[in-house]
Amino acid sequence: MRFVVLFLAVLAGLKVWTQDRLYRSAAGEALIAAYQERAVGACQAKPKADARGQPLVVGALDWSKAKADDIMFGNPAIEIAVWQVDHALWNARYRNPILRLKFEDRLTRIVCDYDVLAGQAAVRVL
C-alpha cells in the first residue's frame, strides 16, 4: 500500500512539474514574440557604450539579426540587495521582465537587455 501511495505522489509531482515547464516555455515564447521588435528598436537606438560608459567597438550591428536568447526576471547588472525593498530600483532589479538579444562570435559576446516595462535597453559586452 505504501508503494502505491508513494507512486501516486511521484506521479502528482511529475504532473505539476510538467505543467509548470510547459507554461513557462509557452509564456516565454509569447513574450519574445510580442516584444522582440520593440527590443530591436531600443537596442538600435542605444548609444554604443556599455553600462560602465566604456565605448563599444561593435560598428553598426543589425540587432534584427540577433538571437532572442531568453526572458529573465530582474536585471542582475543593478546592484541592490534583496532586503532593500524600499529602493526605487528594486522592481527593476528583481521583478521586471528582461528580453535578452545576443550576438556571438568566436571572440566576443554582445548582449542587449531590454526592460519590457521600462522600455529601455542596455548594451553590454560579456
Side-chain angles (χ1 to χ4, degrees):
M1 185 66 165
R2 279 189 216 171
F3 176 75
V4 172
V5 171
L6 185 62
F7 181 70
L8 290 175
V10 169
L11 283 179
L14 187 62
K15 176 186 180 265
V16 169
W17 179 81
T18 303
Q19 285 179 331
D20 181 62
R21 297 306 308 161
L22 288 174
Y23 171 77
R24 287 180 183 266
S25 68
E29 289 175 14
L31 283 171
I32 288 172
Y35 289 102
Q36 187 169 8
E37 289 182 26
R38 293 180 193 172
V40 166
C43 292
Q44 289 288 133
K46 274 309 281 183
K48 302 305 180 203
D50 66 6
R52 296 180 305 261
Q54 302 295 324
L56 295 176
V57 184
V58 295
L61 289 176
D62 184 11
W63 284 102
S64 63
K65 295 181 182 177
K67 178 184 173 207
D69 193 33
D70 64 349
I71 293 285
M72 306 179 302
F73 287 97
N75 188 352
I78 300 173
E79 295 183 14
I80 297 173
V82 71
W83 56 83
Q84 294 175 316
V85 294
D86 292 335
H87 197 283
L89 294 176
W90 194 88
N91 283 337
R93 169 59 180 99
Y94 293 103
R95 293 187 64 196
N96 290 2
I98 306 289
L99 174 60
R100 176 168 279 181
L101 300 176
K102 181 169 46 173
F103 269 114
E104 266 187 313
D105 64 8
R106 293 181 305 133
L107 302 175
T108 60
R109 193 167 98 181
I110 300 169
V111 296
C112 179
D113 291 338
Y114 175 71
D115 188 331
V116 172
L117 295 179
Q120 297 175 348
V123 178
R124 296 185 290 133
V125 175
L126 297 180

